[in-house]
Amino acid sequence: MFFMYTYVMKFSHRARLGITVFILAIIAVGGVFFALNEAHRALVLTTDSIMYVDTARHLAAGQGATTSILELDSTLAPRPQTQWPPFYAMLMAPLIKAGVPPIDAGRDVSAIAFGLLILLVGLWLMRLHPTVGIAAA
């Protein structure tokens, strides 16, 4: 693929830009599929992931950014979720509302975020040289 890309470098600037963005998009999609494949190998739940999943479940149910597990001994549920940033849970909530299991919704959001990070880093470093952007991605 690298040899093909060096041949492409002889094209116009606009064509090189388009081809580079296309290659970066392919790498980013590959990163999403890689992350989804790796995420299903083991069930890893941390304190923050449990909180995000619970908050996303409450958001999907229309209860706002609340949680039932902020304090385990509390009899008041749901309570406002103030310990963790809500944006990740907000991204999971529509998937949960659509019927995706909560843990899978978290994995999907993480995998998509990983792919977007690959794309953004590649586009950012592409300013130095297209090959640098692709290598960084």
Side-chain angles (χ1 to χ4, degrees):
M1 186 169 181
F2 179 74
F3 296 112
M4 184 174 74
Y5 189 74
T6 55
Y7 173 74
V8 168
M9 293 306 291
K10 297 176 184 175
F11 293 158
S12 71
H13 175 70
R14 190 175 205 141
R16 285 194 315 256
L17 181 67
I19 292 169
T20 304
V21 171
F22 180 73
I23 291 171
L24 288 173
I26 289 173
I27 294 170
V29 169
V32 170
F33 284 110
F34 172 77
L36 287 174
N37 183 46
E38 291 300 313
H40 291 284
R41 294 190 185 275
L43 180 64
V44 178
L45 293 176
T46 59
T47 305
D48 61 337
S49 65
I50 293 169
M51 186 65 70
Y52 286 126
V53 167
D54 188 59
T55 303
R57 286 177 46 243
H58 284 274
L59 285 168
Q63 298 170 339
T66 59
T67 184
S68 301
I69 58 174
L70 190 59
E71 296 175 13
L72 295 176
D73 59 347
S74 176
T75 57
L76 300 173
R79 297 175 49 89
Q81 195 279 99
T82 57
Q83 188 173 359
W84 307 101
F87 189 65
Y88 185 63
M90 288 177 183
L91 293 174
M92 290 189 324
L95 297 173
I96 293 171
K97 191 152 183 92
V100 176
I103 303 269
D104 290 340
R107 289 176 176 165
D108 293 347
V109 169
S110 293
I112 292 168
F114 179 64
L116 287 174
L117 179 64
I118 290 170
L119 184 63
L120 289 175
V121 167
L123 289 172
W124 179 54
L125 292 176
M126 185 179 78
R127 296 181 312 160
L128 298 174
H129 192 274
T131 309
V132 174
I134 290 172

